[in-house]
Amino acid sequence: MSKPQRAIPSVPSGNVEYTAKVKEINERMKAQIPASLRLSESILDNLPVDVTEIPKTCGLLTHHELAITELDATDLRDKLAQGKLTAVETVTAYGRRAAIAHQLVHCLVDFFLDETLDRAKELDQYFVREGKVVGPLHGEQVPIKGRFASGGFLSLFEISKDDCLMIKILRELGAVFYVKTNQPQSINHLETVSFHGRTLNPYNTNLTPGGSSGGESALLAMKGSPIGLGNEGGGSIQDPCAKCGLYGLRPTSNTMPKGGYLHYHKTNDGSVAATGPMCRSARDINLFFSSVRGTQPHLKDQLSIPLPWSVPDKLDRKLRIGIMMHDGVVMPQPPMLRALKVAYKKLQASDEVEVVDYLPYEHGLGYDIIREIYFEDGGATVRGMLEEGGENILPLTEWVISPPHTFEHTVLQSWNLRYRRDQYKQAYLDYWNSTGCDVILCAPFPGTANPHDMARYWGYTAIFNLLDYPGVVFPTGLKLDPRVDVAYESTEAMSEADKYFRDFCKSAAILCDHA
Amino acid sequence: MSKPQRAIPSVPSGNVEYTAKVKEINERMKAQIPASLRLSESILDNLPVDVTEIPKTCGLLTHHELAITELDATDLRDKLAQGKLTAVETVTAYGRRAAIAHQLVHCLVDFFLDETLDRAKELDQYFVREGKVVGPLHGEQVPIKGRFASGGFLSLFEISKDDCLMIKILRELGAVFYVKTNQPQSINHLETVSFHGRTLNPYNTNLTPGGSSGGESALLAMKGSPIGLGNEGGGSIQDPCAKCGLYGLRPTSNTMPKGGYLHYHKTNDGSVAATGPMCRSARDINLFFSSVRGTQPHLKDQLSIPLPWSVPDKLDRKLRIGIMMHDGVVMPQPPMLRALKVAYKKLQASDEVEVVDYLPYEHGLGYDIIREIYFEDGGATVRGMLEEGGENILPLTEWVISPPHTFEHTVLQSWNLRYRRDQYKQAYLDYWNSTGCDVILCAPFPGTANPHDMARYWGYTAIFNLLDYPGVVFPTGLKLDPRVDVAYESTEAMSEADKYFRDFCKSAAILCDHA
């Protein structure tokens, strides 16, 4: 067998109409990749599990294109502003690399490089004429006018009549859009498998790129994009960034405009998702946030709050960092715990910070509350969407809309649930204040990137979505090491979910070769 | 007959247990007024409809006490800070005037001047010791630890176990509490009649003081308090302030801390009430807001937003003021329309502003949405509270929980309702931006203070609660003039609600002698 290491599970199926439509959508997508960018059969037949080097070795990209796509968004902004790069060559390089990435990790759901080059030409002409760029951002991907969009179900697949507000703002800032990326069925997975197919982790295609923005994280890890946009209500920015070695910010809700974003629950406002950047450098988070906030989105978006974006001044005391080794529900798997310990030691050695142990405050209770909030309708909307599209339910979708967390609420039960939410949030804030911490550090997920379809606990990110505290993920530079990351320190599971993670860690050890 | 002008309708009734409990509560309240402050029978038997002068003429207050209670909060703050007044003499003067006010307009539900004087003494000792005051606010009333509280129903009447966060903050700022004031059954009236009895408008006891914070507005108008606190989700600050000639601010929600406030709907977060000051001068709004925000309440309250309080700099262009003569649903009654026209002319004469006509954007639709949001449970909670307390429903409570606006929603209907809310808010914001207005001026209610129990339309304040735009009311200095305010300009009603207001304006013309 030529591909022994690849163990990629299947994608959703459905009825006859579903199958026909999905075939059409997939063929349309395939046809969008130009013949000149197709990977040879000899490459495709002999893929390693780590496909991140293939753009460099496949011979389809020039040295110049490879050099451009190695730059982060801040560097690109600078070189564009200095006239050292044109918009056309930048967008072309990224578009070509994205096309290659898609053939390796199935991250895209739409590709429209040719259409978008007209806009890039305009930007270049503006630059020649005015001697400056239109705005700081050239290169992005999100739902846009005239392109197909869906909320995670085939039944919602349709052409968008208008740009959402964020797209309008990014266009004003000079952004150019050339692809759209994959999300999971129902959007509510830390996984990325939908009627568009399954997205793979570029560093190990047997693993998930995370979710729900896993098409985005896979594309970024392949350097097919300099910066991307996620929307997180449970982990959808931080999880895929963590699992693909990226930087990501889930800001406090309503600090970034979400007007016009799609969601099949209209409007479950019990817990509010927040949109933010997925990046390849920490400074790109600042670039994105300061650029968008600089347009004063609160003047255009009914939900946005007029909070200024500022990086705080250095404190006149040590920054107090709490390190949370576990959340009291699921113990981080050995490689994650090792990374936390490395961070602990490094921080302790610094003169600028004070490191303390941070104990979780009833994270299990908080997780139960937000899980109950997600589907107050008992999952009826999800089931209806699936039925309408003739689409079979995936195991992770079934899991997320099942009891005990999911059941049909009356309005009174919903109000009481939200009251419990507010009581919890107040108690947590009081607790937080009692610790005196400025910031805490913890794992974003109990493990490194996991085998497909296994992420059945979101507590490490969901809890801060419930609390609406901002969260940033960043790569540690460490990787799972099977010689070191052998066993848990304790053998006793803290919960059913903990036991689940301990079990799959054992069974999947061979596959887990990348953090 | 000795009291021909007084036409005060009855208060709620109930079953035997209700009647017994209410009797006990009323007797307790009566007994709290010291014998030395009781108004003579000769005064009580010959009350005019305007009772605002009685504190001065009744002979129970000294000249010094009268002088103190004429001052607004800012003046009090200054004189306390300069050592020209002590906390004890200030609180005593206000407490004594409040006791007299209560006998005239039934504004209080609790009176605890003696207990609170200990705190005032501490503040004075602190001042003597430290040469400065603890904080800027000495004098306030809101629900507090160890005092009775209720959410508008006898069934919720109980002793509070703790101060709410706002009280804690105000205490830190040096505030002293000596009374609690009346609110209506269910809180959801622009009226103030509860198991505690009925509060009257001090300027004309045949009229309402507005609601739901009508106990507060009546007390302020009687100068029994320098500053008060309201909580508005439909009109509960602006309406009573407007109807008693006061200043009031309903800020954007979550800019002021509400942690620990009582509400029998826990948590209907479809529309969020906002708490703010009720004052006797415009500058006192600034005093209150800047003092409370200065304590950084967002660090303690899970819902509060860290927005700084600032009075904007003067614009380098004219301020653009839109004047909305009517909301397209209910035409302001003749005296209100006259006041708007006076304001229009005055503003037009100013060099600093540009005045334009502001047309309402589908206010009827917005009003329908927020009315539907208030009782998504179909009013079941309200009916349950009444039943539990053996309390009969009042006509205005029945009105507010009746169809078409009120019916039992499923969670899906609730989500869809909130989606319609967000769509409306976005459309309104787009419209607002298209007008270019910085601020608009309109009536806060279709009429001046109305005869009791007749306020069956809240559109002028409720719409801005739905939109969550801040609103300020202020007195115009004008009063209803039966010689001038004779008839509507047009005879055609815009809606059923409009017809209702036209009819009662005719029938109640004799009573409407104060704006």
Side-chain angles (χ1 to χ4, degrees):
Chain A
M1 274 162 56
S2 62
K3 295 175 286 180
Q5 314 104 313
R6 288 171 74 86
I8 298 159
S10 62
V11 300
S13 56
N15 65 16
V16 178
E17 289 77 15
Y18 172 90
T19 309
K21 270 192 206 161
V22 164
K23 190 165 171 251
E24 190 190 319
I25 291 166
N26 284 339
E27 280 170 4
R28 179 179 161 276
M29 180 63 230
K30 233 178 211 165
Q32 285 179 319
I33 305 294
S36 61
L37 288 172
R38 299 225 174 113
L39 290 168
S40 69
E41 275 185 31
S42 69
I43 291 177
L44 291 173
D45 284 345
N46 294 288
L47 288 177
V49 291
D50 180 344
V51 297
T52 53
E53 293 300 306
I54 293 179
K56 291 182 196 160
T57 59
C58 68
L60 294 173
L61 300 177
T62 64
H63 284 291
H64 186 54
E65 284 167 344
L66 287 168
I68 289 172
T69 50
E70 291 299 315
L71 301 175
D72 73 354
T74 305
D75 264 343
L76 288 174
R77 187 266 319 259
D78 292 344
K79 288 195 192 304
L80 285 157
Q82 292 155 5
K84 291 182 183 166
L85 282 176
T86 66
V88 168
E89 65 185 335
T90 305
V91 175
T92 302
Y94 270 101
R96 287 168 61 83
R97 189 155 178 161
I100 292 163
H102 178 66
Q103 297 168 73
L104 298 166
V105 295
H106 204 77
C107 49
L108 306 185
V109 301
D110 205 353
F111 182 84
F112 40 101
L113 177 60
D114 284 352
E115 292 92 319
T116 215
L117 282 175
D118 290 340
R119 172 66 180 152
K121 274 177 208 152
E122 278 172 29
L123 292 170
D124 285 335
Q125 284 156 5
Y126 180 90
F127 179 78
V128 169
R129 204 169 61 237
E130 306 286 333
K132 59 178 181 163
V133 290
V134 167
L137 293 167
H138 283 220
E140 257 290 330
Q141 59 276 346
V142 269
I144 59 168
K145 181 175 176 176
R147 310 308 310 182
F148 279 99
S150 95
F153 297 106
L154 178 65
S155 52
L156 295 171
F157 191 63
E158 61 171 18
I159 291 178
S160 305
K161 291 196 188 71
D162 205 356
D163 289 338
C164 64
L165 180 57
M166 178 65 95
I167 287 289
K168 285 181 185 158
I169 288 171
L170 292 172
R171 279 195 203 280
E172 278 170 28
L173 289 166
V176 173
F177 309 100
Y178 54 96
V179 291
K180 289 184 62 181
T181 55
N182 200 16
Q183 288 192 296
Q185 183 185 76
S186 87
I187 305 183
N188 275 276
H189 304 185
L190 304 187
E191 181 56 77
T192 303
V193 52
S194 73
F195 65 91
H196 288 296
R198 178 182 292 281
T199 303
L200 313 176
N201 190 313
Y203 291 101
N204 180 336
T205 50
N206 291 320
L207 304 180
T208 180
S212 69
S213 310
E216 200 72 48
S217 63
L219 181 65
L220 283 161
M222 290 297 297
K223 299 180 179 169
S225 161
I227 205 165
L229 191 61
N231 187 35
E232 175 170 323
S236 289
I237 292 171
Q238 297 181 83
D239 182 77
C241 283
K243 286 173 180 165
C244 288
L246 303 166
Y247 298 80
L249 167 67
R250 191 275 187 201
T252 298
S253 64
N254 301 330
T255 54
M256 286 271 115
K258 284 200 322 168
Y261 275 32
L262 292 177
H263 201 280
Y264 52 87
H265 286 165
K266 30 170 106 165
T267 295
N268 177 355
D269 51 5
S271 163
V272 182
T275 188
M278 301 168 66
C279 312
R280 286 158 42 195
S281 69
R283 63 183 186 170
D284 282 0
I285 292 178
N286 191 35
L287 171 68
F288 179 91
F289 223 88
S290 58
S291 300
V292 174
R293 285 250 33 117
T295 68
Q296 301 199 285
H298 59 276
L299 298 178
K300 291 174 189 161
D301 182 40
Q302 59 96 7
L303 265 175
S304 287
I305 291 165
L307 276 182
W309 167 250
S310 62
V311 178
D313 292 335
K314 218 182 148 206
L315 296 169
D316 52 8
R317 57 173 172 78
K318 288 183 178 181
L319 188 76
R320 187 171 165 98
I321 301 180
I323 299 199
M324 185 177 84
M325 300 303 284
H326 65 81
D327 72 351
V329 184
V330 176
M331 183 61 68
Q333 294 173 345
M336 300 304 277
L337 216 53
R338 178 164 60 86
L340 283 167
K341 285 178 181 170
V342 169
Y344 206 123
K345 264 196 190 157
K346 280 209 170 176
L347 288 167
Q348 268 185 324
S350 162
D351 290 338
E352 297 180 61
V353 298
E354 176 195 359
V355 187
V356 296
D357 290 314
Y358 183 90
L359 299 176
Y361 177 80
E362 300 201 26
H363 282 212
L365 172 61
Y367 181 64
D368 287 345
I369 290 171
I370 193 167
R371 283 291 307 278
E372 191 179 333
I373 284 174
Y374 289 139
F375 299 94
E376 290 172 326
D377 68 339
T381 308
V382 166
R383 290 187 200 280
M385 294 285 158
L386 290 170
E387 197 176 337
E388 202 185 317
E391 184 170 349
N392 294 334
I393 194 164
L394 286 171
L396 282 184
T397 312
E398 187 74 60
W399 169 74
V400 84
I401 63 170
S402 289
H405 290 117
T406 300
F407 58 93
E408 193 181 339
H409 290 62
T410 64
V411 159
L412 276 178
Q413 286 173 317
S414 163
W415 288 355
N416 285 331
L417 171 59
R418 293 169 183 211
Y419 179 70
R420 284 189 279 131
R421 172 199 68 193
D422 289 349
Q423 297 289 97
Y424 178 78
K425 287 172 77 170
Q426 187 59 52
Y428 202 103
L429 180 58
D430 293 342
Y431 172 73
W432 176 282
N433 284 333
S434 77
T435 70
C437 288
D438 296 303
V439 64
I440 65 170
L441 183 72
C442 66
F445 182 75
T448 56
N450 52 274
H452 294 281
D453 296 341
M454 299 198 72
R456 292 182 181 227
Y457 181 69
W458 310 353
Y460 282 92
T461 47
I463 193 79
F464 299 108
N465 277 275
L466 178 70
L467 294 168
D468 209 3
Y469 294 178
V472 163
V473 293
F474 57 88
T476 58
L478 303 172
K479 293 186 178 198
L480 186 149
D481 181 344
R483 294 159 309 175
V484 182
D485 302 317
V486 185
Y488 280 80
E489 289 173 14
S490 68
T491 53
E492 208 164 323
M494 297 188 287
S495 66
E496 273 303 301
D498 194 15
K499 187 167 178 310
Y500 173 85
F501 273 85
R502 287 167 185 262
D503 288 348
F504 97 55
C505 192
K506 262 179 269 171
S507 69
I510 297 165
L511 297 169
C512 297
D513 63 355
H514 187 274
Chain B
M1 273 163 56
S2 62
K3 296 177 285 183
Q5 313 103 313
R6 287 172 75 86
I8 298 160
S10 61
V11 300
S13 55
N15 65 18
V16 178
E17 289 78 15
Y18 173 91
T19 308
K21 271 193 206 159
V22 164
K23 189 165 171 251
E24 190 191 318
I25 292 166
N26 284 341
E27 279 170 4
R28 178 179 162 276
M29 180 64 230
K30 234 180 211 163
Q32 286 179 319
I33 305 294
S36 62
L37 288 171
R38 298 224 175 115
L39 290 169
S40 69
E41 275 186 31
S42 70
I43 291 178
L44 291 172
D45 284 345
N46 293 289
L47 289 176
V49 291
D50 181 345
V51 296
T52 52
E53 294 300 308
I54 293 178
K56 292 182 196 160
T57 58
C58 66
L60 295 173
L61 300 178
T62 65
H63 283 294
H64 186 54
E65 286 167 343
L66 287 169
I68 289 172
T69 51
E70 291 298 315
L71 301 174
D72 73 355
T74 305
D75 264 342
L76 288 174
R77 188 267 317 260
D78 291 345
K79 289 196 191 301
L80 285 157
Q82 293 156 6
K84 292 184 182 163
L85 282 178
T86 67
V88 168
E89 65 185 334
T90 305
V91 175
T92 303
Y94 269 102
R96 288 169 60 83
R97 190 155 178 161
I100 291 163
H102 178 65
Q103 298 168 71
L104 298 165
V105 294
H106 203 78
C107 49
L108 306 185
V109 301
D110 205 353
F111 183 83
F112 40 102
L113 177 60
D114 285 351
E115 291 92 319
T116 217
L117 281 176
D118 291 340
R119 173 67 181 151
K121 274 177 208 151
E122 279 171 30
L123 292 170
D124 284 335
Q125 284 155 6
Y126 180 91
F127 180 78
V128 169
R129 201 168 64 238
E130 306 286 334
K132 59 179 181 165
V133 289
V134 168
L137 292 168
H138 283 224
E140 255 292 326
Q141 60 276 344
V142 268
I144 60 168
K145 182 176 176 177
R147 309 307 312 180
F148 279 100
S150 94
F153 297 105
L154 178 65
S155 53
L156 294 173
F157 190 61
E158 62 173 18
I159 289 179
S160 304
K161 290 195 190 69
D162 205 357
D163 289 339
C164 64
L165 179 57
M166 179 64 95
I167 287 289
K168 285 180 185 159
I169 288 172
L170 292 172
R171 279 195 202 281
E172 278 171 30
L173 289 166
V176 172
F177 310 101
Y178 55 96
V179 291
K180 290 184 62 181
T181 55
N182 200 16
Q183 289 194 295
Q185 183 185 76
S186 87
I187 305 184
N188 276 277
H189 303 184
L190 304 187
E191 180 57 76
T192 303
V193 52
S194 73
F195 64 93
H196 289 295
R198 178 182 293 281
T199 303
L200 313 176
N201 190 314
Y203 292 102
N204 180 338
T205 50
N206 290 322
L207 305 180
T208 181
S212 67
S213 311
E216 201 71 48
S217 64
L219 180 66
L220 283 162
M222 290 299 296
K223 299 181 179 168
S225 162
I227 205 165
L229 191 61
N231 187 35
E232 174 170 323
S236 289
I237 292 172
Q238 297 181 81
D239 182 75
C241 283
K243 287 172 180 166
C244 288
L246 303 166
Y247 298 80
L249 167 67
R250 190 277 186 198
T252 299
S253 64
N254 302 327
T255 54
M256 285 272 114
K258 284 200 321 169
Y261 275 30
L262 291 176
H263 202 280
Y264 51 87
H265 286 165
K266 24 170 111 164
T267 296
N268 177 355
D269 53 4
S271 163
V272 182
T275 188
M278 301 167 64
C279 312
R280 285 157 44 194
S281 69
R283 63 184 186 171
D284 281 359
I285 292 178
N286 192 34
L287 171 67
F288 179 91
F289 223 87
S290 58
S291 301
V292 175
R293 284 248 38 113
T295 68
Q296 299 199 283
H298 59 276
L299 298 179
K300 292 174 189 163
D301 182 41
Q302 59 97 8
L303 265 174
S304 286
I305 291 165
L307 276 183
W309 168 251
S310 61
V311 178
D313 293 333
K314 220 182 145 204
L315 296 169
D316 52 8
R317 55 171 173 79
K318 289 183 178 181
L319 188 76
R320 188 172 165 98
I321 300 180
I323 299 198
M324 185 177 83
M325 299 305 284
H326 66 82
D327 72 352
V329 183
V330 176
M331 183 60 68
Q333 293 173 345
M336 301 304 277
L337 217 54
R338 178 165 59 87
L340 283 167
K341 286 178 182 171
V342 168
Y344 205 122
K345 262 196 192 157
K346 281 208 170 176
L347 288 167
Q348 267 185 326
S350 162
D351 290 338
E352 297 180 59
V353 299
E354 177 193 359
V355 187
V356 296
D357 290 314
Y358 183 90
L359 298 177
Y361 177 80
E362 299 200 27
H363 282 213
L365 172 60
Y367 181 64
D368 286 344
I369 290 171
I370 193 166
R371 283 290 310 276
E372 191 178 334
I373 284 174
Y374 289 138
F375 299 94
E376 289 172 326
D377 68 341
T381 307
V382 165
R383 290 187 199 280
M385 295 285 157
L386 290 169
E387 197 176 337
E388 202 186 318
E391 183 170 351
N392 294 334
I393 194 164
L394 286 171
L396 282 184
T397 312
E398 188 73 60
W399 169 73
V400 84
I401 62 169
S402 290
H405 290 117
T406 301
F407 59 92
E408 193 183 339
H409 290 63
T410 65
V411 159
L412 277 178
Q413 284 172 317
S414 164
W415 290 354
N416 285 331
L417 171 59
R418 292 167 184 214
Y419 179 70
R420 283 189 281 130
R421 170 199 70 192
D422 289 349
Q423 297 288 99
Y424 178 78
K425 287 172 76 170
Q426 186 60 51
Y428 202 103
L429 180 57
D430 294 342
Y431 173 73
W432 175 282
N433 283 333
S434 77
T435 71
C437 287
D438 296 302
V439 65
I440 65 170
L441 183 72
C442 66
F445 183 75
T448 57
N450 52 273
H452 293 282
D453 297 340
M454 299 197 70
R456 294 184 178 224
Y457 180 69
W458 310 352
Y460 281 93
T461 47
I463 194 81
F464 299 108
N465 277 274
L466 178 71
L467 295 169
D468 209 4
Y469 295 178
V472 163
V473 293
F474 57 88
T476 59
L478 302 173
K479 294 186 178 198
L480 185 148
D481 182 344
R483 293 161 308 176
V484 182
D485 301 317
V486 186
Y488 280 81
E489 288 173 14
S490 69
T491 52
E492 207 164 325
M494 296 188 287
S495 66
E496 273 304 302
D498 193 16
K499 187 168 179 310
Y500 172 84
F501 273 84
R502 287 166 186 261
D503 287 350
F504 96 56
C505 191
K506 260 180 269 170
S507 68
I510 297 164
L511 297 170
C512 300
D513 63 356
H514 187 273

